[in-house]
Amino acid sequence: DAGVTQSPTHLIKTRGQQVTLRCSPKSGHDTVSWYQQALGQGPQFIFQYYEEEERQRGNFPDRFSGHQFPNYSSELNVNALLLGDSALYLCASSLGDRSYEQYFGPGTRLTVT
Amino acid sequence: DQQVKQNSPSLSVQEGRISILNCDYTNSMFDYFLWYKKYPAEGPTFLISISSIKDKNEDGRFTVFLNKSAKHLSLHIVPSQPGDSAVYFCVNAGNNRKLIWGLGTSLAVNP
């Protein structure tokens, strides 16, 4: 039973560029949430996708956007990268009403130079 | 402004002893509380949770206590094992199911 997978594991980008991060949820899960974790901080909620729609959003600018596909996998897109976007990006999956208990992937480490 | 506060960034405990990790919160609308554990280079893993209608939940060596009047919860690990060494996050959730995370406490259990 595959857990949550994320790709790529590491990424280096330049300021102003755009990036796409990918996530496949745990088998049987239909909800995907994305988090940003800066060094020394707890994860900060970016947004959540369910039934291919953004259901909730944290305090992140419109440069952060996402998508969920019919197979429940998801993408996180960040445009016009800033140095401050350097962080670990975590994807978590859950099953509908049990969304309090989320299963996390290993994350994608994004470095913006 | 941190809604979920873990005031101890680190904790060191001897193997076999009790580990107590503390968490304070400010939002009385939170109705569900969780603890996640994170090893280096891995995503957080769910450990234990408690609903606001309860004051204690136990799962094996792990027990979470909730004191709503003090807006305080704690995680007890007994007996502590070296494999418990990790960063522990206190997480609160309201009825919108959005998770609010603390900064984490790094636990080191020494053999």
Side-chain angles (χ1 to χ4, degrees):
Chain A
D1 178 22
V4 179
T5 60
Q6 291 186 244
S7 63
T9 54
H10 295 86
L11 201 53
I12 299 176
K13 289 285 189 177
T14 305
R15 270 182 303 175
Q17 286 188 314
Q18 179 265 345
V19 69
T20 297
L21 311 182
R22 295 177 176 81
C23 171
S24 290
K26 179 179 169 63
S27 177
H29 284 183
D30 57 6
T31 303
V32 173
S33 302
W34 286 93
Y35 293 84
Q36 180 195 68
Q37 186 178 15
L39 206 59
Q41 303 290 316
Q44 298 290 314
F45 175 74
I46 302 175
F47 42 52
Q48 181 182 76
Y49 277 84
Y50 174 67
E51 292 186 336
E52 301 180 51
E53 289 187 6
E54 182 182 294
R55 295 299 179 123
Q56 296 190 65
R57 190 177 183 92
N59 293 327
F60 280 81
D62 292 344
R63 298 187 297 109
F64 289 77
S65 63
H67 188 77
Q68 185 179 35
F69 299 94
N71 66 353
Y72 307 121
S73 67
S74 176
E75 288 182 350
L76 164 66
N77 301 294
V78 186
N79 294 323
L81 285 167
L82 304 174
L83 295 179
D85 295 331
S86 295
L88 179 68
Y89 288 84
L90 294 163
C91 168
S93 74
S94 54
L95 179 61
D97 288 338
R98 296 291 290 170
S99 61
Y100 286 136
E101 297 174 16
Q102 299 182 356
Y103 291 76
F104 283 80
T108 294
R109 173 70 63 185
L110 172 65
T111 302
V112 182
T113 62
Chain B
D1 184 30
Q2 283 284 325
Q3 295 188 59
V4 179
K5 299 178 182 178
Q6 295 179 254
N7 292 319
S8 298
S10 63
L11 176 67
S12 183
V13 171
Q14 205 65 27
E15 181 178 5
R17 298 290 190 99
I18 185 171
S19 296
I20 300 176
L21 296 97
N22 293 302
C23 175
D24 297 298
Y25 61 94
T26 59
N27 189 341
S28 56
M29 297 303 292
F30 289 139
D31 62 3
Y32 209 78
F33 305 87
L34 309 94
W35 286 91
Y36 277 79
K37 178 171 72 173
K38 187 179 186 302
Y39 293 115
E42 295 183 12
T45 55
F46 169 75
L47 187 59
I48 191 170
S49 63
I50 187 168
S51 164
S52 61
I53 62 173
K54 296 185 176 181
D55 55 18
K56 177 183 175 181
N57 187 28
E58 189 173 353
D59 183 3
R61 297 185 297 112
F62 303 91
T63 303
V64 55
F65 295 92
L66 176 62
N67 182 334
K68 287 187 291 295
S69 61
K71 294 183 182 176
H72 177 84
L73 66 155
S74 61
L75 174 67
H76 293 209
I77 307 173
V78 56
S80 301
Q81 299 174 354
D84 296 329
S85 298
V87 177
Y88 289 80
F89 290 98
C90 175
V91 184
N92 294 186
N95 56 13
N96 62 4
R97 309 207 180 242
K98 191 181 296 185
L99 302 185
I100 309 297
W101 296 65
L103 298 182
T105 296
S106 179
L107 173 66
V109 179
N110 306 307

